[in-house]
Amino acid sequence: MTLHIFNPDHDLALAADLVPYTAPHAGRQLRADLSWLPALWSEEGDMVLVDNVENAHEYTRHIRKYVSKVQFVTFDDLARLHGGELEQISVWGWNRALCHQLKSYNKQFVALMPKSGQLAFIRTVSNRKWASEKLLPKLSSLHHLLVGSAVYTSELPFDADGLLLEKYCTGDVCVIKAPWSSSGRGIRYVERKLTTAQQNWIRNLIDKQGGIMIEPYYNKVEDFGMEFSIDAGGQTKYCGLSLFATQNGAYSGSVLATEDAKRRLLSRYVPERLLDIVRKGIIARMAKLLKGKYVGAFGVDMMIVRHNGALKMHPCVELNLRRTMGHVALALTPANGEPQQMMRIKYDGSHYHLRIFTTGEDLLDTTIIRGL
């Protein structure tokens, strides 16, 4: 039996690296409202940790055909579990704060959690600096239609007048990112001449997280990603493509369609074989770098961009060493012959809801994807 946990505040917990850690209100609300989500990919008989069992049953009642027959449990239930009842714990993302919380309820869980060295490795790999040095250069060198670069610095990247130094930004606009962040909160699009507020934001990031990422601004045509999982032996499995939309850098929704349909959409922009080249490159590279150090899901966000007058593919905008909304969308993939659908996470002012929409429109029309 497996215990599944949805902890969407994972990235923020990595950034803070505090034990104990209290997530911001929005993160706590998202976790409470959607804690039932793992029921979409759990096996029958598994446990899913939720804040409120009655609410979890009510939320899943509307999408019962997608949900496995699981047992919803609370933290109080976990405190009463005895050794041997669980074989493993599967989480959205592992971090020190979650391990501390689980241990505080039931010390028997320690045997099923990553050790301190593994947790430190997960935090290191989740830093954008790691992918910019270990993964992106390898992938972007695989084909002339692949493009992408990023620079990490722990020094202030601007001069006394607030002008970004040319070694970090040669274009009119650059993208500055926090090493660890969540849902677009740690991303700024800046011009060469930084405002006072932007300079202070950079100073604060360097002080708190040790550095910043600086990337060229790319003319984005399409957001997408590839989702994977890896086992203890380093066997890396490709799970599928994720077509999603963002607003101000934050996830806003996904298209639910077959793998073939998603590949056909992306082939409008770049040769379909490019997807296979990148997929194989990620599997080979990550299997080597993660073997014996990480077990679980991960995803790589990508883009189709217009670069120097041509359509190209950015193979690693971001590496997420955790489960992603792309994995959630894949759990809802329609069968061949079924209609395409949209998945959105909606906030009504007090609660978050997962919504699945079926329309008569072609959801793989790019204008619809952007408007999710």
Side-chain angles (χ1 to χ4, degrees), residues 59-71:
Y59 280 129
T60 55
R61 182 174 61 84
H62 304 288
I63 55 171
R64 196 174 302 280
K65 76 172 189 175
Y66 301 106
V67 176
S68 301
K69 293 181 180 179
V70 299
Q71 180 182 353

PDB file of all heavy atoms in Angstrom, residues 59-71:
ATOM      1  N   TYR A  59     -15.605  16.494  -3.356  1.00  0.00           N
ATOM      2  CA  TYR A  59     -14.886  17.017  -4.523  1.00  0.00           C
ATOM      3  C   TYR A  59     -14.780  15.968  -5.626  1.00  0.00           C
ATOM      4  O   TYR A  59     -14.916  16.268  -6.807  1.00  0.00           O
ATOM      5  CB  TYR A  59     -13.472  17.466  -4.124  1.00  0.00           C
ATOM      6  CG  TYR A  59     -13.398  18.830  -3.476  1.00  0.00           C
ATOM      7  CD1 TYR A  59     -12.721  19.004  -2.267  1.00  0.00           C
ATOM      8  CD2 TYR A  59     -13.969  19.943  -4.064  1.00  0.00           C
ATOM      9  CE1 TYR A  59     -12.639  20.251  -1.649  1.00  0.00           C
ATOM     10  CE2 TYR A  59     -13.903  21.190  -3.468  1.00  0.00           C
ATOM     11  CZ  TYR A  59     -13.236  21.343  -2.271  1.00  0.00           C
ATOM     12  OH  TYR A  59     -13.164  22.572  -1.676  1.00  0.00           O
ATOM     13  N   THR A  60     -14.516  14.726  -5.243  1.00  0.00           N
ATOM     14  CA  THR A  60     -14.283  13.679  -6.249  1.00  0.00           C
ATOM     15  C   THR A  60     -15.578  13.081  -6.792  1.00  0.00           C
ATOM     16  O   THR A  60     -15.556  12.351  -7.784  1.00  0.00           O
ATOM     17  CB  THR A  60     -13.420  12.549  -5.665  1.00  0.00           C
ATOM     18  OG1 THR A  60     -14.036  12.033  -4.472  1.00  0.00           O
ATOM     19  CG2 THR A  60     -12.022  13.056  -5.315  1.00  0.00           C
ATOM     20  N   ARG A  61     -16.699  13.385  -6.162  1.00  0.00           N
ATOM     21  CA  ARG A  61     -17.984  12.843  -6.611  1.00  0.00           C
ATOM     22  C   ARG A  61     -18.291  13.249  -8.053  1.00  0.00           C
ATOM     23  O   ARG A  61     -18.885  12.484  -8.808  1.00  0.00           O
ATOM     24  CB  ARG A  61     -19.096  13.339  -5.674  1.00  0.00           C
ATOM     25  CG  ARG A  61     -20.483  12.822  -5.999  1.00  0.00           C
ATOM     26  CD  ARG A  61     -21.472  13.252  -4.922  1.00  0.00           C
ATOM     27  NE  ARG A  61     -21.572  14.697  -4.831  1.00  0.00           N
ATOM     28  CZ  ARG A  61     -22.367  15.443  -5.606  1.00  0.00           C
ATOM     29  NH1 ARG A  61     -23.106  14.865  -6.540  1.00  0.00           N
ATOM     30  NH2 ARG A  61     -22.426  16.744  -5.447  1.00  0.00           N
ATOM     31  N   HIS A  62     -17.837  14.447  -8.443  1.00  0.00           N
ATOM     32  CA  HIS A  62     -18.156  14.970  -9.773  1.00  0.00           C
ATOM     33  C   HIS A  62     -17.265  14.387 -10.869  1.00  0.00           C
ATOM     34  O   HIS A  62     -17.596  14.504 -12.046  1.00  0.00           O
ATOM     35  CB  HIS A  62     -18.037  16.496  -9.770  1.00  0.00           C
ATOM     36  CG  HIS A  62     -18.882  17.158  -8.724  1.00  0.00           C
ATOM     37  ND1 HIS A  62     -20.246  17.247  -8.805  1.00  0.00           N
ATOM     38  CD2 HIS A  62     -18.546  17.748  -7.540  1.00  0.00           C
ATOM     39  CE1 HIS A  62     -20.730  17.868  -7.740  1.00  0.00           C
ATOM     40  NE2 HIS A  62     -19.718  18.178  -6.955  1.00  0.00           N
ATOM     41  N   ILE A  63     -16.156  13.787 -10.496  1.00  0.00           N
ATOM     42  CA  ILE A  63     -15.251  13.216 -11.501  1.00  0.00           C
ATOM     43  C   ILE A  63     -14.926  11.771 -11.148  1.00  0.00           C
ATOM     44  O   ILE A  63     -13.804  11.301 -11.305  1.00  0.00           O
ATOM     45  CB  ILE A  63     -13.948  14.048 -11.631  1.00  0.00           C
ATOM     46  CG1 ILE A  63     -13.252  14.188 -10.273  1.00  0.00           C
ATOM     47  CG2 ILE A  63     -14.212  15.413 -12.245  1.00  0.00           C
ATOM     48  CD1 ILE A  63     -11.871  14.797 -10.382  1.00  0.00           C
ATOM     49  N   ARG A  64     -15.937  11.080 -10.678  1.00  0.00           N
ATOM     50  CA  ARG A  64     -15.752   9.736 -10.145  1.00  0.00           C
ATOM     51  C   ARG A  64     -15.112   8.783 -11.143  1.00  0.00           C
ATOM     52  O   ARG A  64     -14.353   7.878 -10.775  1.00  0.00           O
ATOM     53  CB  ARG A  64     -17.085   9.173  -9.678  1.00  0.00           C
ATOM     54  CG  ARG A  64     -16.953   7.950  -8.774  1.00  0.00           C
ATOM     55  CD  ARG A  64     -18.295   7.525  -8.215  1.00  0.00           C
ATOM     56  NE  ARG A  64     -18.941   8.578  -7.464  1.00  0.00           N
ATOM     57  CZ  ARG A  64     -18.640   8.897  -6.216  1.00  0.00           C
ATOM     58  NH1 ARG A  64     -17.671   8.238  -5.605  1.00  0.00           N
ATOM     59  NH2 ARG A  64     -19.270   9.859  -5.585  1.00  0.00           N
ATOM     60  N   LYS A  65     -15.387   8.966 -12.447  1.00  0.00           N
ATOM     61  CA  LYS A  65     -14.868   8.017 -13.437  1.00  0.00           C
ATOM     62  C   LYS A  65     -13.353   8.070 -13.564  1.00  0.00           C
ATOM     63  O   LYS A  65     -12.733   7.150 -14.066  1.00  0.00           O
ATOM     64  CB  LYS A  65     -15.518   8.242 -14.792  1.00  0.00           C
ATOM     65  CG  LYS A  65     -15.027   9.448 -15.565  1.00  0.00           C
ATOM     66  CD  LYS A  65     -15.615   9.425 -16.980  1.00  0.00           C
ATOM     67  CE  LYS A  65     -14.983  10.479 -17.866  1.00  0.00           C
ATOM     68  NZ  LYS A  65     -15.452  10.405 -19.262  1.00  0.00           N
ATOM     69  N   TYR A  66     -12.736   9.178 -13.097  1.00  0.00           N
ATOM     70  CA  TYR A  66     -11.283   9.319 -13.187  1.00  0.00           C
ATOM     71  C   TYR A  66     -10.568   8.864 -11.914  1.00  0.00           C
ATOM     72  O   TYR A  66      -9.336   8.745 -11.902  1.00  0.00           O
ATOM     73  CB  TYR A  66     -10.901  10.785 -13.441  1.00  0.00           C
ATOM     74  CG  TYR A  66     -11.479  11.387 -14.691  1.00  0.00           C
ATOM     75  CD1 TYR A  66     -12.526  12.311 -14.621  1.00  0.00           C
ATOM     76  CD2 TYR A  66     -10.981  11.045 -15.949  1.00  0.00           C
ATOM     77  CE1 TYR A  66     -13.061  12.882 -15.769  1.00  0.00           C
ATOM     78  CE2 TYR A  66     -11.510  11.609 -17.097  1.00  0.00           C
ATOM     79  CZ  TYR A  66     -12.549  12.524 -17.007  1.00  0.00           C
ATOM     80  OH  TYR A  66     -13.077  13.082 -18.138  1.00  0.00           O
ATOM     81  N   VAL A  67     -11.316   8.656 -10.839  1.00  0.00           N
ATOM     82  CA  VAL A  67     -10.719   8.492  -9.517  1.00  0.00           C
ATOM     83  C   VAL A  67     -10.664   7.022  -9.102  1.00  0.00           C
ATOM     84  O   VAL A  67     -11.647   6.287  -9.242  1.00  0.00           O
ATOM     85  CB  VAL A  67     -11.519   9.300  -8.470  1.00  0.00           C
ATOM     86  CG1 VAL A  67     -10.971   9.070  -7.077  1.00  0.00           C
ATOM     87  CG2 VAL A  67     -11.480  10.780  -8.819  1.00  0.00           C
ATOM     88  N   SER A  68      -9.499   6.603  -8.589  1.00  0.00           N
ATOM     89  CA  SER A  68      -9.359   5.242  -8.076  1.00  0.00           C
ATOM     90  C   SER A  68     -10.076   5.094  -6.733  1.00  0.00           C
ATOM     91  O   SER A  68     -10.341   6.083  -6.040  1.00  0.00           O
ATOM     92  CB  SER A  68      -7.878   4.901  -7.891  1.00  0.00           C
ATOM     93  OG  SER A  68      -7.171   4.995  -9.089  1.00  0.00           O
ATOM     94  N   LYS A  69     -10.377   3.857  -6.371  1.00  0.00           N
ATOM     95  CA  LYS A  69     -10.996   3.590  -5.080  1.00  0.00           C
ATOM     96  C   LYS A  69      -9.908   3.574  -4.016  1.00  0.00           C
ATOM     97  O   LYS A  69      -9.247   2.566  -3.776  1.00  0.00           O
ATOM     98  CB  LYS A  69     -11.733   2.261  -5.115  1.00  0.00           C
ATOM     99  CG  LYS A  69     -12.961   2.264  -6.035  1.00  0.00           C
ATOM    100  CD  LYS A  69     -13.674   0.921  -6.016  1.00  0.00           C
ATOM    101  CE  LYS A  69     -14.893   0.935  -6.924  1.00  0.00           C
ATOM    102  NZ  LYS A  69     -15.591  -0.368  -6.945  1.00  0.00           N
ATOM    103  N   VAL A  70      -9.723   4.753  -3.416  1.00  0.00           N
ATOM    104  CA  VAL A  70      -8.664   4.920  -2.422  1.00  0.00           C
ATOM    105  C   VAL A  70      -9.282   5.191  -1.061  1.00  0.00           C
ATOM    106  O   VAL A  70     -10.485   5.429  -0.933  1.00  0.00           O
ATOM    107  CB  VAL A  70      -7.727   6.086  -2.801  1.00  0.00           C
ATOM    108  CG1 VAL A  70      -7.057   5.822  -4.139  1.00  0.00           C
ATOM    109  CG2 VAL A  70      -8.491   7.413  -2.826  1.00  0.00           C
ATOM    110  N   GLN A  71      -8.422   5.176  -0.055  1.00  0.00           N
ATOM    111  CA  GLN A  71      -8.842   5.508   1.302  1.00  0.00           C
ATOM    112  C   GLN A  71      -8.312   6.887   1.646  1.00  0.00           C
ATOM    113  O   GLN A  71      -7.101   7.106   1.695  1.00  0.00           O
ATOM    114  CB  GLN A  71      -8.303   4.470   2.291  1.00  0.00           C
ATOM    115  CG  GLN A  71      -8.698   4.737   3.733  1.00  0.00           C
ATOM    116  CD  GLN A  71      -8.112   3.721   4.699  1.00  0.00           C
ATOM    117  OE1 GLN A  71      -7.507   2.736   4.286  1.00  0.00           O
ATOM    118  NE2 GLN A  71      -8.271   3.956   5.981  1.00  0.00           N
TER     119      GLN A  71
END
